[in-house]
Every structure is written in C-alpha cells, then in structure tokens.
Amino acid sequence: MKVLITGKNGQLGSELQRSCPDNIEIQCFDSQSLDITDIAVVNEILISFSPDIVINTAAYTAVDKAESDIDAAYAVNQTGAANLATACKAISAKLIHISTDFVFDGSKTTPYVSADATNPLGVYGASKLAGEQAVSRILGSQATIVRTAWVYSKFGKNFVKTMLRLMAEKDQLGIVYDQVGTPTWAAGLANMLWALVQKQSDKVGAESKTLNQTKILNWTDAGVASWYDFAVAIQELAIEQGLLNKAIPISAIPASSYPTPAKRPEFSVLNKTEAEALTSVKTIHWRKQLKSMLEQVKAEKVKVESDK
Ligand SMILES: NC(=O)c1ccc[n+]([C@@H]2O[C@H](COP(=O)([O-])OP(=O)(O)OC[C@H]3O[C@@H](n4cnc5c(N)ncnc54)[C@H](OP(=O)(O)O)[C@@H]3O)[C@@H](O)[C@H]2O)c1
C-alpha cells in the first residue's frame, strides 16, 4: 500500500515517518516540495506517486496569529484541504484529514462526539471546520476526518518543550486552570493512524458508504487535564527524569489573566470510543504518554532551549 504524507516536518508528520509499518510505502512532502495551496502541484504529485491513501497533516496551526492572518489560515486549512480532496477524487485515493477540537466552542461538560454541533471560537477553528466541510463535500465516504487536540512531540514546538525551557529559566510560572482538555502525544496519534490506514484497505467507510458520508473520528490520549495540571505533571516527571534539577512554584491562573488574540474552548475533551472500536487501538492515559515522551527527550538529548 502506498501512502502520501503532507506536512512531513510537523509534529505529526515526523511521528508518522518514524513509526511507518514495514508493509507500507510512504512518500512524504514538506511545504516546499508540496504546497497544498497550489492545486497544480497537488495534482501533479498525486498523479505521479499515485497513493492509495493521503494523510493530510499539513495545516496553518498558529492559532493566535490566524486571528490577524485570516487569508493565509484559510488558504492552507480550507483551500489546501479542498485541493487534496479534489486530487484524491481524481485518482480514487482515500484521504485521512486531520482536524481539531477547536471546531467546538467548549460549552459542553461531557466529551464531544463527532455528531456534536460545531461552533468555532476563532479563525483557526473556523478555517479547519471549512476544510472539513470541503473534504466531506468533495470526497464523501472516500475521506475520514480525525479530530485531535493538545498535540505535543519531541519534534517541533509545543507546550511540553516550552514548559521545559521556561521551568529551567524562570523562578515561577502561572498556568491557566480553566481550560480543560486532553494532552495528546503525536506518537500515539500516529500509531492509531497507521492502524486506521491498515483498516482503510477494507473496512473504513464501508458502513457509511451507502450514505456517502465522511466518517469523523476523535483521537487524543486518555484522561482529562487543565493546562495547569499538564504543566505540574511536566515539572514532576521532568524532575524524575533528571531533565530539570529544581521545582519552581506553579500557580493556577484564570484564562482571563492570560489574554490571547484567539479565544479557546473551556472544555474540549473528545470521546474516542468510535476510533478505538474501529482500529482496536486503546487510548493511553496522557500522563503515561507524557512520561514516555520525556524519556525520549532525555535519551535523545532533544533540544528544548529557546529558538531566539
Ligand atoms: N498542534 C496541536 O496542538 C493540534 C491540535 C489539534 C489539531 N491539530 C491538527 O493536527 C495536524 C497536525 O498538527 P501538527 O501539530 O503536526 O502541526 P505542525 O507541527 O504545526 O505542522 C504543520 C505542518 O504543516 C506544514 N504546512 C503549512 N502550510 C503548508 C502548505 N501550504 N503546504 C504544505 N504544508 C504546509 C508546515 O510546514 P512548514 O513548517 O514548512 O510551514 C508544518 O510542517 C494539523 O491538522 C493540526 O491542525 C494540531
């Protein structure tokens, strides 16, 4: 089976390459070699590689910057997704398109299921939702959308690496307690996606084929945390691993004390039952996944210093 991966230098794109099963041939592209906003390039590359499945990890992911960079966010997250879907349709390839918890407004108090009403709070979420809608419209049951949240990895920039750096540099930190979700190790997400790919050759989409509907799945690690809980766990586990040599005080602050250009959902826990049943992959508690990631950071001496 041949799988084409977009966004190869991102967190998820990197983890997918690292964990690719032996029976799958992959071709991976960065934004230079495959700019998904360019339909001519997208068509040319998909026709020449002729993949069975495309995994679209490419996205405009700068949530705050998107508020003032609206056209760029929509170009990648909506038009780029639509371009891939159109090219997939032309060569009869399936598309696994990655999306986000930010399509929801966070007003629920129980885990979101895929059928819940969407209502993005900002440009990033709205542009990702527009991408989902384009993919569904163009490909129907030939596409699967996987919504995830709070992604981190040893690759790229993310909350864990930022915390490790700040905890080494600062005397104290204030972290938001009134936004709740589930941290997600990109390696675990990649593992589930490869299981989904293996299923794609036969089952995925089969049950919804008669309705020609796109299946929407959720995937994060297991459990629930606030950003404050996550930060406390990062510090505790990093000290245990010897990645930090002292604990600094971490205080729980309301989101209102840490204003950001983009509003974020207060509650974005996702229900993963359907993805677990479909792939036979079980979610693992976020704290256990965090420990595994920090072990990698230590073993591989991953750089977490400031990029400045
Ligand atoms: N990170 C999170 O917390 C989070 C949460 C929920 C959902 N998601 C979703 O999960 C997916 C993977 O996220 P991630 O964390 O791996 O993202 P990431 O690390 O920011 O990587 C995104 C990748 O997309 C590439 N890209 C941007 N514009 C492109 C274009 N026009 N053509 C081709 N590639 C382009 C970027 O390449 P360059 O670096 O070269 O620009 C980058 O390598 C995305 O769909 C994202 O929306 C992420």
Side-chain angles (χ1 to χ4, degrees):
M1 193 177 351
K2 295 201 289 184
V3 175
L4 185 150
I5 298 171
T6 64
K8 76 168 195 179
N9 296 328
Q11 300 190 83
L12 180 57
S14 300
E15 294 286 3
L16 281 166
Q17 289 170 78
R18 205 187 50 78
S19 57
C20 176
D22 290 342
N23 65 336
I24 291 174
E25 181 191 346
I26 48 171
Q27 225 175 53
C28 307
F29 296 88
D30 61 17
S31 58
Q32 302 297 313
S33 53
L34 173 54
D35 177 353
I36 63 168
T37 67
D38 187 333
I39 184 70
V41 172
V42 170
N43 279 327
E44 189 190 318
I45 287 181
L46 264 69
I47 288 167
S48 86
F49 181 55
S50 187
D52 300 291
I53 298 175
V54 172
I55 306 179
N56 180 31
T57 79
Y60 184 108
T61 55
V63 174
D64 288 318
K65 200 170 160 218
E67 292 299 306
S68 52
D69 200 12
I70 300 168
D71 290 348
Y74 273 87
V76 182
N77 294 344
Q78 180 184 32
T79 309
N83 289 344
L84 285 167
T86 304
C88 281
K89 191 171 178 98
I91 61 163
S92 297
K94 290 176 177 170
L95 174 64
I96 298 177
H97 176 69
I98 313 302
S99 193
T100 173
D101 57 327
F102 277 38
V103 298
F104 299 118
D105 62 16
S107 58
K108 269 188 84 178
T109 51
T110 54
Y112 279 92
V113 294
S114 54
D116 279 324
T118 52
N119 182 29
L121 298 175
V123 171
Y124 167 73
S127 66
K128 291 291 291 184
L129 179 60
E132 286 189 4
Q133 290 164 342
V135 164
S136 300
R137 196 173 53 247
I138 295 163
L139 282 177
S141 60
Q142 214 176 306
T144 305
I145 290 166
V146 177
R147 291 176 178 153
T148 188
W150 293 33
V151 178
Y152 66 90
S153 156
K154 68 177 177 179
F155 301 107
K157 291 181 188 168
N158 53 64
F159 185 78
V160 177
K161 288 167 77 177
T162 302
M163 284 298 115
L164 291 175
R165 174 168 60 78
L166 291 177
M167 285 164 180
E169 285 173 4
K170 305 267 183 198
D171 296 328
Q172 56 174 352
L173 284 175
I175 306 291
V176 169
Y177 70 84
D178 52 359
Q179 287 166 359
V180 171
T182 312
T184 303
W185 188 24
L189 173 59
N191 182 44
M192 187 282 291
L193 288 172
W194 284 127
L196 185 61
V197 163
Q198 306 276 17
K199 292 266 172 191
Q200 287 274 348
S201 51
D202 38 74
K203 284 206 193 116
V204 168
E207 60 194 74
S208 60
K209 219 161 226 163
T210 46
L211 298 169
N212 198 31
Q213 278 174 355
T214 300
K215 187 180 281 297
I216 302 180
L217 301 171
N218 293 329
W219 190 265
T220 64
D221 288 331
V224 176
S226 67
W227 290 110
Y228 168 78
D229 297 322
F230 192 17
V232 168
I234 292 166
Q235 177 162 263
E236 279 177 14
L237 293 171
I239 288 172
E240 265 176 44
Q241 299 278 335
L243 288 165
L244 294 170
N245 54 26
K246 61 168 192 344
I248 58 167
I250 304 172
S251 51
I253 62 166
S256 56
S257 318
Y258 186 72
T260 52
K263 208 170 165 224
R264 287 156 166 78
E266 285 179 11
F267 179 90
S268 66
V269 179
L270 303 177
N271 179 318
K272 280 81 65 178
T273 315
E274 196 179 351
E276 288 183 318
L278 187 66
T279 61
S280 306
V281 178
K282 288 276 160 253
T283 52
I284 298 172
H285 193 270
W286 65 265
R287 195 177 156 106
K288 194 168 175 198
Q289 297 285 68
L290 174 62
K291 186 164 185 266
S292 300
M293 181 269 192
L294 291 173
E295 282 166 2
Q296 274 189 356
V297 168
K298 184 176 183 195
E300 297 170 27
K301 297 188 168 56
V302 174
K303 188 170 168 275
V304 293
E305 298 91 50
S306 167
D307 302 315
K308 282 178 274 175

